[in-house]
């Protein structure tokens, strides 16, 4: 036993403990996390059919907008441990920790223990990795499976095992069924690496890659084709698709529209996503995103921005965007909160802009210089210029991961900042290898000019970090800047012995880890487990972001009691248009709620004729017009014309007359566009099931929303304002309930 302990890498053990703390501490306060997906998790535990299709509701009426693999792990966790905040996100936490270990395992055999530890550390303290690993979104699971595929491909090359090549590509197919085409970003690196690294003949390489491609196709298409070939009457409607097809969802909503900009599933092209080429500081003319993600006053001492809010974000008097992020001249700050709608300006430097950089780019420039320095160091003069060493082949793999992903997100029109976790592994690894390569050069006395590359990387990285933190902590900017200038000078001109270089490097790495380390700590301190995960000091000033969705809707207990008392044998507790309204009630009761329009109320999941038939059969007895219910919907028009309006006093609702300006601010209209379904539900469920803590981000009843007018007295019901107003939390409902039979 003692001999085994001696062989343990205790630095790695410490890093894994740090990862477990950052990703797992306070997850018992996760509430319902992203309630859009939590509703599906609840539903998936009800039947194998729901489990297979990733049904949003227990009745299997409509699915969520992603494949089921990541949700399978979450549903299994909930089935074993019960429905709690921590059990919902447990698998993401474990996959996040597993990704850190895989990075270590992939780097150590080629670049040594130091490079592996540094890479694992940089991955651990990348803010977006922490934020994503604390939610029930799919991204942490996706990254783990992509890393696992790369790890097995490494083993396949070393051991010359064809079956490992096949399995590694099959895992990319599995990853497709986690988050669809996003997984395929890694394929260029996989094909290229095997071609240059494998030592078998070129004919065998071609044959192996053909086998691998066949496995990729089988594991990619098995679930989508199985679903699409099933009779539409025997399965749920595929949420956010335009043709009730998984393949349409994959190549449309989750495919081409990510690059070109959203045009389905939200009612109109999604505004404020940075694809128009406008400056970050310009206000979107197409409208503002839904409010209610996270609000709060600006922290003491925060200067009011002189420019307009970032594109697609409404500026409030406190100097923050309505969604909670800071509105800053020329772009959003690197802090958290409100980054859901701000992805900067498309272009070659988008990933360095504050809108995205504060989530992932802290070590970006160190990674680039590390790639250059380490590639030159690993060269073999005895080989031809096109021939690569084993270590150079590894560098090509990580570069081939980095370049396509960075290129896509530099020009894409529709995504969220938390998708940047895709960049975290190559950036962390190339930065770690770069630092270790400098020390290796000093130790071996080879290529001593490597110190100038490393010094340049320190200075460039420090300048970028200082820019990110200046608006929040000017003193930290000076500390990073001056400290890095001093260490860079020592690296380049003074310390050329290994011991002194080690001390200087440790100091430099510590300095450059301060800011990203603190940014990554903020989700843990704030107990964040949000629909739109993010990291930054804003989380500490706005009370965290444990909200399940973008609004403030919660399950109204009085409404639930009324429906359960009067619903009789109806299949559905009630019907409504959007998942944001439905999710809190599914989570609270475990009962079916028909979500006719999917996430944003714009899906064509059922026709008016079919809906009338369900009403006639007694399967649907009540309809709740709230949230993102569209006044242009034929079903809503029919309900309002033929249904019997229930007095709000009977179910604890509020007959609130809302001004037009308030309605526009409070809820997205078709003209404005609406949030994509990755954002979760329309609000955090206040009535969480037993064992789940109500999210701290849920606003109490009567809390004034930015830009909203004060409600008038009860009794003056306005159907128009009721449909458009943002639902209120705290057990009150601003929707209108109709009895249909």
């Amino acid at each position: 036993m003692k001999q085994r302990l001696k062989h343990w890498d205790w630095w790695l053990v410490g890093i894994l403990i740090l990862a477990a703390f950052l990703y797992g501490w306070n997850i018992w306060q996760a509430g319902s996390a992203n309630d859009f997906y939590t509703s599906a998790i609840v539903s998936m535990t009800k039947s194998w059919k729901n489990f297979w299709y990733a049904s949003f509701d227990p009745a299997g009426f409509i699915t969520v907008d992603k494949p089921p693999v990541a949700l399978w792990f979450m549903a299994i966790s909930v089935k074993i441990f019960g429905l709690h905040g921590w059990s919902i996100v447990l698998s993401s936490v474990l996959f996040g920790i597993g990704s850190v270990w895989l990075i270590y395992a992939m780097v150590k055999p080629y670049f040594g223990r130091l490079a592996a530890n540094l890479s694992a550390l940089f991955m651990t303290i990348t803010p977006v990795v922490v934020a994503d690993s604390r939610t029930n979104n799919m991204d942490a699971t996706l990254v783990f499976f992509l890393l696992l595929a790369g790890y097995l491909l490494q083993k396949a090359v070393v051991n010359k095992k064809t079956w490992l090549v096949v399995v590694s590509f099959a895992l990319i197919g599995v990853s497709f069924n986690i988050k669809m085409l996003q997984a395929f970003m890694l394929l260029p690196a996989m094909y290229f690496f095997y071609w240059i690294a494998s030592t078998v003949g070129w004919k065998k390489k071609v044959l192996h890659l053909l086998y691998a491609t066949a496995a990729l196709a089988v594991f990619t298409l098995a679930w989508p084709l199985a679903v699409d070939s099933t009779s539409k009457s025997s399965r749920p409607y595929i949420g956010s698709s335009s043709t009730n097809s998984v393949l349409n969802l994959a190549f449309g909503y989750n495919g081409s529209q990510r690059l070109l900009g959203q045009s389905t599933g939200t009612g109109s092209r999604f505004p404020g996503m940075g694809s128009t080429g406008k400056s970050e500081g310009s206000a979107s003319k197409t409208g503002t995103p839904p409010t209610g993600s996270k609000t709060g006053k600006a922290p003491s001492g925060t200067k009011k921005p002189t420019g307009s809010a970032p594109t697609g974000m409404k500026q409030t008097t406190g100097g923050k965007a309505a969604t909670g992020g800071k509105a800053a001249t020329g772009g959003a700050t690197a802090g958290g909160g409100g980054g859901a709608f701000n992805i900067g300006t498309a272009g070659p430097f988008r990933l360095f802009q504050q809108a995205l950089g504060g989530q992932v780019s802290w070590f970006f420039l160190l990674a680039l210089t590390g790639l250059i320095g380490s590639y030159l160091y690993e060269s073999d003069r005895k080989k031809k210029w096109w021939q690569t060493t084993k270590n150079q082949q590894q560098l090509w793999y990580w570069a081939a991961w980095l370049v396509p992903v960075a290129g896509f997100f530099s020009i894409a029109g529709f995504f969220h900042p938390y998708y940047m976790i895709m960049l975290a592994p190559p950036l962390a690894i190339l930065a770690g290898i770069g630092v270790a390569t400098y020390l290796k050069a000093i130790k071996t006395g080879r290529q001593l000019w490597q110190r100038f590359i490393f010094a340049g990387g320190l200075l460039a990285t420090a300048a970028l970090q200082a820019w990110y933190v200046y608006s929040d902590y000017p003193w930290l900017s000076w500390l990073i800047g001056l400290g890095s200038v001093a260490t860079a000078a020592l690296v380049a001109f003074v310390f050329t012995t290994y011991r002194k270089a080690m001390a200087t490097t440790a100091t430099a790495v510590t300095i450059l880890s301060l800011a990203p380390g603190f940014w990554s700590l903020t989700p843990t301190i704030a107990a964040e487990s949000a629909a739109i995960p993010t990291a930054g000091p804003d989380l500490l000033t706005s009370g965290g972001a444990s909200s399940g969705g973008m609004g403030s809707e919660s399950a109204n207990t009085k409404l639930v009691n009324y429906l359960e008392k009067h619903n009789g044998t109806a299949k559905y507790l009630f019907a409504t248009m959007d998942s944001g309204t439905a999710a809190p009630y599914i989570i609270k009761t475990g009962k079916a709620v028909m979500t006719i329009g999917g996430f944003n109320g714009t899906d064509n999941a059922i026709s008016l004729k079919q809906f009338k038939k369900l009403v006639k059969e007694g399967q649907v007895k009540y309809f709740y017009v709230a949230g993102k219910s569209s006044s242009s919907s034929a079903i809503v028009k029919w309900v309002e014309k033929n249904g019997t309006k229930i007095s709000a006093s009977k179910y604890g609702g509020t007959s609130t007359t809302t001004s037009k300006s308030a309605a526009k601010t409070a809820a997205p209209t078709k003209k404005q566009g609406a949030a994509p379904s990755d954002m979760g539900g329309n609000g955090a469920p206040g009535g969480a099931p037993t064992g789940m803590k109500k999210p701290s981000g849920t606003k109490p009843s009567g809390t004034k929303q930015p830009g909203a007018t004060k409600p008038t007295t009860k009794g003056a019901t306005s159907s128009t304002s009721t449909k458009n107003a943002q639902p209120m939390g705290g057990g009150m409902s601003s929707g209108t309930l109709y009895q249909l039979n």
Side-chain angles (χ1 to χ4, degrees), residues 200-225:
V200 301
W202 70 269
K203 291 183 179 180
K204 285 189 175 181
K205 287 182 184 179
V206 172
L207 190 62
H208 294 172
L209 290 177
L210 286 175
Y211 292 154
T213 303
L216 169 68
V218 168
F219 279 84
T220 295
L221 297 174
W223 184 81
L225 291 181

Coordinates of all heavy atoms in Angstrom, one line a residue, residues 200-225:
V200 N 1.0 2.4 -38.9 CA 0.7 1.3 -39.9 C 0.7 1.9 -41.3 O 0.7 3.1 -41.5 CB -0.7 0.8 -39.6 CG1 -0.8 0.2 -38.2 CG2 -1.8 1.8 -39.8
G201 N 0.7 1.0 -42.3 CA 0.7 1.5 -43.7 C -0.5 2.3 -44.1 O -1.5 2.2 -43.4
W202 N -0.3 3.1 -45.2 CA -1.4 4.0 -45.5 C -2.7 3.2 -45.9 O -3.8 3.7 -45.7 CB -1.0 4.9 -46.6 CG -0.8 4.3 -48.0 CD1 0.4 3.8 -48.5 CD2 -1.8 4.2 -49.0 NE1 0.2 3.3 -49.8 CE2 -1.1 3.5 -50.1 CE3 -3.1 4.5 -49.1 CZ2 -1.8 3.2 -51.3 CZ3 -3.8 4.2 -50.3 CH2 -3.2 3.5 -51.3
K203 N -2.5 2.0 -46.5 CA -3.7 1.3 -46.9 C -4.5 0.8 -45.6 O -5.7 0.9 -45.6 CB -3.3 0.0 -47.7 CG -2.8 0.4 -49.1 CD -2.4 -0.9 -49.9 CE -1.9 -0.5 -51.3 NZ -1.6 -1.8 -52.1
K204 N -3.8 0.4 -44.6 CA -4.4 0.0 -43.4 C -5.0 1.3 -42.7 O -6.1 1.2 -42.1 CB -3.4 -0.6 -42.4 CG -3.1 -2.1 -42.8 CD -2.3 -2.7 -41.7 CE -2.0 -4.2 -42.0 NZ -1.2 -4.9 -41.0
K205 N -4.4 2.4 -42.8 CA -4.9 3.6 -42.2 C -6.3 3.9 -42.9 O -7.3 4.2 -42.2 CB -4.0 4.8 -42.4 CG -2.8 4.8 -41.6 CD -1.9 6.1 -41.9 CE -0.6 6.1 -41.1 NZ 0.2 7.3 -41.4
V206 N -6.3 3.8 -44.2 CA -7.6 4.1 -44.9 C -8.7 3.1 -44.4 O -9.8 3.5 -44.1 CB -7.4 4.0 -46.4 CG1 -8.7 4.1 -47.1 CG2 -6.5 5.1 -46.9
L207 N -8.3 1.8 -44.3 CA -9.3 0.8 -43.9 C -9.7 1.1 -42.5 O -10.9 1.0 -42.2 CB -8.6 -0.6 -44.0 CG -9.5 -1.8 -43.8 CD1 -10.6 -1.8 -44.9 CD2 -8.7 -3.1 -43.9
H208 N -8.8 1.4 -41.6 CA -9.2 1.7 -40.2 C -10.1 2.9 -40.1 O -11.1 2.8 -39.3 CB -7.9 1.9 -39.4 CG -7.0 0.7 -39.2 ND1 -5.8 0.8 -38.6 CD2 -7.2 -0.6 -39.6 CE1 -5.2 -0.4 -38.6 NE2 -6.1 -1.2 -39.2
L209 N -9.8 3.9 -40.9 CA -10.7 5.1 -40.8 C -12.0 4.8 -41.5 O -13.0 5.4 -41.0 CB -10.0 6.3 -41.5 CG -8.8 6.8 -40.7 CD1 -8.1 7.9 -41.5 CD2 -9.2 7.3 -39.4
L210 N -12.1 3.9 -42.4 CA -13.4 3.5 -43.0 C -14.2 2.8 -41.9 O -15.4 3.1 -41.8 CB -13.2 2.7 -44.2 CG -12.7 3.4 -45.5 CD1 -12.5 2.4 -46.6 CD2 -13.8 4.4 -45.9
Y211 N -13.6 1.9 -41.2 CA -14.3 1.2 -40.1 C -14.8 2.2 -39.0 O -15.9 2.2 -38.6 CB -13.3 0.2 -39.4 CG -12.9 -1.0 -40.2 CD1 -11.7 -1.6 -40.0 CD2 -13.8 -1.5 -41.2 CE1 -11.3 -2.8 -40.7 CE2 -13.4 -2.6 -42.0 CZ -12.2 -3.2 -41.7 OH -11.8 -4.3 -42.4
A212 N -13.9 3.2 -38.7 CA -14.2 4.2 -37.7 C -15.4 5.0 -38.2 O -16.3 5.4 -37.4 CB -13.0 5.0 -37.4
T213 N -15.3 5.4 -39.5 CA -16.4 6.2 -40.0 C -17.8 5.5 -40.0 O -18.8 6.1 -39.7 CB -16.1 6.7 -41.4 OG1 -14.8 7.4 -41.4 CG2 -17.2 7.6 -42.0
A214 N -17.7 4.2 -40.3 CA -18.9 3.4 -40.2 C -19.5 3.4 -38.8 O -20.7 3.5 -38.6 CB -18.6 2.0 -40.7
A215 N -18.6 3.2 -37.8 CA -19.0 3.2 -36.4 C -19.6 4.6 -36.0 O -20.6 4.7 -35.3 CB -17.9 2.8 -35.5
L216 N -18.9 5.6 -36.5 CA -19.4 7.0 -36.3 C -20.8 7.2 -36.8 O -21.7 7.7 -36.1 CB -18.5 8.0 -36.9 CG -18.9 9.4 -37.0 CD1 -19.0 10.1 -35.6 CD2 -18.0 10.2 -37.9
A217 N -21.0 6.7 -38.0 CA -22.4 6.8 -38.7 C -23.4 6.0 -37.9 O -24.5 6.5 -37.7 CB -22.3 6.3 -40.1
V218 N -23.1 4.8 -37.5 CA -24.1 4.0 -36.8 C -24.5 4.6 -35.4 O -25.7 4.7 -35.1 CB -23.5 2.6 -36.5 CG1 -24.4 1.8 -35.6 CG2 -23.4 1.8 -37.9
F219 N -23.5 5.0 -34.6 CA -23.8 5.6 -33.3 C -24.4 7.0 -33.4 O -25.1 7.4 -32.5 CB -22.5 5.5 -32.4 CG -22.3 4.2 -31.8 CD1 -21.6 3.2 -32.6 CD2 -22.7 3.9 -30.6 CE1 -21.4 2.0 -32.0 CE2 -22.5 2.7 -30.0 CZ -21.8 1.7 -30.7
T220 N -24.1 7.7 -34.5 CA -24.7 9.0 -34.7 C -26.2 8.9 -35.1 O -27.0 9.6 -34.5 CB -24.0 9.8 -35.8 OG1 -22.6 10.0 -35.4 CG2 -24.7 11.1 -36.1
L221 N -26.5 8.0 -36.0 CA -27.8 7.9 -36.6 C -28.8 6.9 -35.9 O -30.0 7.0 -36.2 CB -27.7 7.6 -38.1 CG -26.9 8.6 -38.9 CD1 -26.8 8.1 -40.3 CD2 -27.7 9.9 -38.9
A222 N -28.3 6.1 -35.1 CA -29.1 5.0 -34.5 C -30.3 5.6 -33.8 O -31.5 5.2 -34.1 CB -28.3 4.2 -33.5
W223 N -30.1 6.6 -32.9 CA -31.2 7.1 -32.2 C -32.1 8.0 -33.1 O -33.3 7.9 -33.1 CB -30.8 7.9 -30.9 CG -31.9 8.4 -30.1 CD1 -32.6 7.7 -29.2 CD2 -32.4 9.8 -30.1 NE1 -33.6 8.5 -28.6 CE2 -33.5 9.8 -29.2 CE3 -32.1 10.9 -30.8 CZ2 -34.2 10.9 -28.9 CZ3 -32.8 12.1 -30.6 CH2 -33.9 12.1 -29.6
P224 N -31.5 9.0 -33.8 CA -32.3 9.8 -34.6 C -33.2 9.0 -35.6 O -34.4 9.4 -35.8 CB -31.3 10.7 -35.4 CG -30.2 10.8 -34.5 CD -30.1 9.4 -33.8
L225 N -32.6 8.0 -36.3 CA -33.4 7.3 -37.3 C -34.5 6.4 -36.6 O -35.6 6.2 -37.1 CB -32.5 6.4 -38.1 CG -31.5 7.2 -39.1 CD1 -30.7 6.2 -39.9 CD2 -32.3 8.1 -40.0

